[in-house]
Amino acid sequence: MAEYGLENIRNLALLSHNGAGKTSLSETILYTAGAIKRLGKVDEGSSTSDYDPAEQKRNISINLSLLPYEWKGNKINIIDTPGYPDFVGDVKAAIRVCEGAVIVVCAASGVEVGTGQVWAYSEEANLPRLIFINKMDRENANFDRTLEQIQSKFGRLCTPVQIPIGAHNNFQGIIDLLTMKSYLGPEAKEAEIPSELQSQVDTYREKLVEAAAEVDDSLIEKYLGGEELTLKELSAGLRQGTVEGKIIPVLVGSATHNTGAGLLMDAISSYLPSPKERDVLIAVDSNKQETIAPSQDAPLAALVFKTTADPYVGKLTYFRVYNGAIDSNSQVWNVTQGENERIGQLFMMRGKNQEPTPKVRAGDIGAVAKLNVTATGDTLGTKEKPTKIVPISFPKPTFSEAVFPKSKGDLDKLGPSLAKMTEEEPTLQVHRDTDTNETILSGLGDTQLEVAAEKMARKFGVNVQLETPKVPYRETISASTKAEYKHKKQTGGHGQYGHVLLEVEPLPRGGGREFVDKVVGGRIPKNYIPAVEKGVNEAFEDGVLAHYPVADIKVTVYDGSFHPVDSSEICFKIAGAGALKRGLADAQPVLLEPIVNIKVSAPEDYTGDIIGDLNTKRAQVQGMIPENGINVIEAQVPLAEVQRYAIDLKSITQGKGSYTMEFSHYQEAPPAVAQKVIARKQAEKE
Ligand SMILES: Nc1nc2c(ncn2[C@@H]2O[C@H](COP(=O)(O)OP(=O)(O)OP(=O)(O)O)[C@@H](O)[C@H]2O)c(=O)[nH]1
Ligand SMILES: [Mg+2]
């Protein structure tokens, strides 16, 4: 590829509800631009973007893909993103490194929940955008209805610059409201406007001209004076309006019928801003952000936005250059980590294809293999003039499963391959639950974790089983009591003796564990007290109800006795543990269960069903915040009831709901629940 200045590059994210046709559209665009020779199909697993076996198996996009093409003197980097909610991490990453977006809406399904979500993300990022109404060839495709939905949801600033000719079987082509010409079929054959559409064309054109004129004082004067605006003036007004977020041009077509791609590509080049028009967001320190002007002549500043792990090429790092340039076979400074990083051969990626390149300049996006210290979100720069670009903020995991290796060999490789998986996907996290002794993998949904397990098998040969994690129950006491334990044995030579009296008292929730020594007069010699504490601590880990750890308790050793010859540390440890067990048993032990805060967002229509379901899950609904047709329901609910909530919510809302969840506190489990848990644990032991 040729070298491009800042003003001749476009970076744009393709965004939509899942399945609206982003990947098909990107394929058609690449084909139209001549960047690929053969037009692939999502449904046949042959698209440039969905090359990952996990994507082909499911016919959905899972990873963002970089799909560059050249068009009329510009270089455009399309980033195709996944629409499936579990993979929203890549959507966030793509938005962060783009200057513009194309939001794809299906002409038959209209505005969906995912559309609203990507819209909100684009607003948050202040991203100029176009809307492409796709699938005009589909049964039930309806341009007017879809446009109405778009305008009622997102406002009147969504302005058609095209309208379709026909729909469904009869979808023939597109009328461009700027040039006032028809373009028919995949060849975009120029034709006159069909007469039956003339009045509709006039109405939409009027609105478009008005919107474009309003952007600029001189244009509005001319327009109000009754003068015709030239094509050039219209285009300029439309561009300025789009860049400033005052107009969102709406286009139309069909990806799989390859109709409208060329016009969309023209619009991308004409209306969406270049990297030159968007300042770079840098982090001065942890709470201060600033913007600086981008430049190809400044010292290097590049943001790493994606890392993939490949068993053959190793780690592949995708970066967007904001300032300066990065060279193959050079050394850079990882500003975030404060370390040098060696750069090998640089690549321009297209799907999985790597094209070697000597340099990647500001405005552009590249990739490099086998970096040592660099992770997603880091800035690569120079040591002399380090600039830190604001990193990407990723959503926190909401869904967890316990990971079990299938064999001994899998166990040995489990840790390193999990580490690689979490490096690849910032929305995945792994931790060891010390309460339950399980390795927990967390992410945004069951599909994401399933895909992660498949990847571990395919890429690293590690086979794992995913299971619902054990609930980390705890035990505590609800009364105070005193307990005594005497460990005394006479076996042959010298015997064993340890004697402890202690008091147990409940602490408030979250109070933890306390151990207090109140022994006076050397009734237990000072040097044995640590042994008593050790015994107590061991007994804490193994509650008397169902062997769960004990919480929120104060233990005071206040008396005991010893034997000058037979006493030893081990004897006092045994006595300490024994006394605590007796104390626990006598102090009305109860089971504690973890409670989480949950925030569920879904369209209003589902509120009743969601709350009904939450009620069956012993939830306490705490509030409801309606917002633009979406209701946010806040509740506290026992973790045991919502470990698979991602799946439940998907089926209640047909995938239109989302939620976040975080640990809140421990709470006494109702007796019926406690009985079940205790019985189950007993059965397990047996
Ligand atoms: N009839 C018709 N079908 C289309 C069109 N575009 C895409 N499809 C079909 O819609 C389905 C989804 O298309 P994709 O291109 O994978 O959609 P996507 O938005 O990339 O999906 P995700 O990445 O999973 O969110 C596939 O079966 C496509 O063949 C279109 O213009 N017309
Ligand atoms: Mg896709």
Side-chain angles (χ1 to χ4, degrees), residues 16-25 42-43 50 59-62 80-84 104 134-138 253-257:
S16 82
H17 184 83
N18 58 16
K22 300 175 292 301
T23 301
S24 306
L25 184 61
V42 170
D43 307 291
D50 289 355
N59 279 340
I60 62 167
S61 300
I62 287 173
D80 182 26
T81 66
Y84 201 82
V104 182
N134 188 34
K135 303 200 192 181
M136 273 309 297
D137 61 294
R138 241 188 81 171
S254 160
T256 47
H257 280 224

